[in-house]
Amino acid sequence: GIQVEQSPPDLILQEGANSTLRCNFSDSVNNLQWFHQNPWGQLINLFYIPSGTKQNGRLSATTVATERYSLLYISSSQTTDSGVYFCAVETGTASKLTFGTGTRLQVTL
Amino acid sequence: GAGVSQTPSNKVTEKGKYVELRCDPISGHTALYWYRQSLGQGPEFLIYFQGTGAADDSGLPNDRFFAVRPEGSVSTLKIQRTERGDSAVYLCASSLTFGNTIYFGEGSWLTVV
């Protein structure tokens, strides 16, 4: 099956800093989504982005499907950004999202 | 409802018992998914429904696990003869149709003692 690797695995930021999270995948994908899992376990969908660039407030994401990676940018980080960020992909041969290994982000004051 | 609703939010059961977990998807969403998440890991796919039918159940770990969605809305995940290794958070999600943005519920935390 498809492999989805995220980097870095852990990240500690001071409030106000910017960061880039990366998601690499091993095969062509039809669907790529980014999620934030807050410290209480709730998974929130951030972006549906199989290709191109999208922005939502302080967050933006870019997927370069031909090179099999996606980036999530967090600008001016806040403590509420803490949690685990997952990318998840779906290929044309499987009707499911396969989740990556996650990046655990901690934003400190 | 406004979001995906799952019940119970927490369940502690004894090894060998039968458990049912319920999911009420976002109104109008035809696609429904069950995932399982163990501590420190990402969610793992269990089963996907399109309407009433299980379109892909390749993630169910064994025949103790079964899920239904009889009327194309609410779904129930059923686990027979629970084992300690079944302890995890069971997440339900829905999307308007397959391949669209997917929305997760808050999960059902299952502990088998």
Side-chain angles (χ1 to χ4, degrees):
Chain A
I2 191 168
Q3 303 300 310
V4 186
E5 297 289 333
Q6 292 184 241
S7 59
D10 295 280
L11 186 58
I12 300 175
L13 296 176
Q14 209 161 24
E15 195 172 45
N18 303 329
S19 63
T20 301
L21 282 56
R22 187 176 179 103
C23 171
N24 291 331
F25 41 95
S26 61
D27 203 350
S28 301
V29 299
N30 290 343
N31 181 353
L32 186 147
Q33 302 187 33
W34 281 97
F35 296 88
H36 174 221
Q37 189 163 40
N38 66 25
W40 297 270
Q42 175 71 52
L43 272 163
I44 305 296
N45 193 295
L46 299 175
F47 292 103
Y48 172 90
I49 186 163
S51 63
T53 297
K54 289 187 178 179
Q55 180 153 9
N56 185 3
R58 297 181 295 104
L59 303 182
S60 64
T62 295
T63 297
V64 184
T66 53
E67 297 187 20
R68 300 183 182 171
Y69 73 88
S70 183
L71 302 174
L72 178 70
Y73 305 96
I74 305 174
S75 64
S76 305
S77 57
Q78 300 177 356
T79 55
T80 52
D81 295 332
S82 296
V84 183
Y85 289 80
F86 289 103
C87 70
V89 302
E90 177 250 318
T91 69
T93 58
S95 52
K96 62 181 181 182
L97 281 176
T98 298
F99 280 74
T101 48
T103 292
R104 183 173 300 275
L105 173 65
Q106 183 180 352
V107 181
T108 62
L109 292 172
Chain B
V4 179
S5 175
Q6 291 188 246
T7 55
S9 53
N10 282 285
K11 175 73 176 178
V12 180
T13 191
E14 291 181 347
K15 179 174 176 295
K17 297 289 189 183
Y18 170 81
V19 166
E20 286 190 356
L21 306 175
R22 176 189 166 105
C23 173
D24 198 345
I26 293 172
S27 179
H29 280 196
T30 62
L32 184 146
Y33 314 81
W34 283 99
Y35 282 79
R36 178 168 73 172
Q37 187 175 24
S38 300
L39 199 62
Q41 312 226 341
E44 293 180 319
F45 171 80
L46 294 177
I47 186 169
Y48 151 61
F49 287 90
Q50 181 60 48
T52 59
D56 185 346
D57 64 357
S58 62
L60 295 177
N62 52 58
D63 62 5
R64 295 187 299 105
F65 288 75
F66 189 70
V68 296
R69 193 185 186 201
E71 297 178 359
S73 178
V74 170
S75 175
T76 304
L77 179 65
K78 308 180 181 196
I79 310 173
Q80 298 177 320
R81 305 183 303 280
T82 51
E83 299 177 357
R84 292 195 179 88
D86 299 334
S87 297
V89 179
Y90 289 81
L91 295 162
C92 179
S94 71
S95 62
L96 191 60
T97 60
F98 175 72
N100 290 122
T101 301
I102 186 171
Y103 300 93
F104 279 88
E106 295 187 353
S108 291
W109 292 71
L110 175 65
T111 303
V112 182
V113 297

